[in-house]
Amino acid sequence: MMKERLSVHLWVALFLTVCGVALLFCGFWVKPAGEIHNSVLVAYGEISTFAGTAFGFNHYRKLSFKKGLDDIEKKLKEKEILKDE
């Protein structure tokens, strides 16, 4: 269940980051024709990019923390085996 949740977070982070960057570039090319001003596209792009990086950082932090715990457990088990011998 946790892996599925992390996978969804990673995909959402990737999607938001890509959309945010695309909208940031679109903000430079869209003429203000009265429909959507380029500042709106740029602002939404910045927000999406920030949200994507926040999700991605959270995903990375959780994986790093879990890996660290696994390494500690492995070292403790190795010490117990050496101690028992």
Side-chain angles (χ1 to χ4, degrees), residues 9-63:
H9 277 214
L10 184 61
W11 282 109
V12 169
L14 181 66
F15 177 74
L16 285 173
T17 304
V18 170
C19 286
V21 170
L23 286 173
L24 285 170
F25 282 107
C26 288
F28 293 113
W29 295 314
V30 174
K31 294 180 182 179
E35 293 153 2
I36 297 178
H37 194 263
N38 63 348
S39 64
V40 174
L41 291 174
V42 170
Y44 183 75
E46 288 175 356
I47 291 169
S48 294
T49 304
F50 175 75
T53 55
F55 271 127
F57 177 75
N58 189 28
H59 178 75
Y60 175 76
R61 182 185 55 84
K62 284 183 181 180
L63 288 180

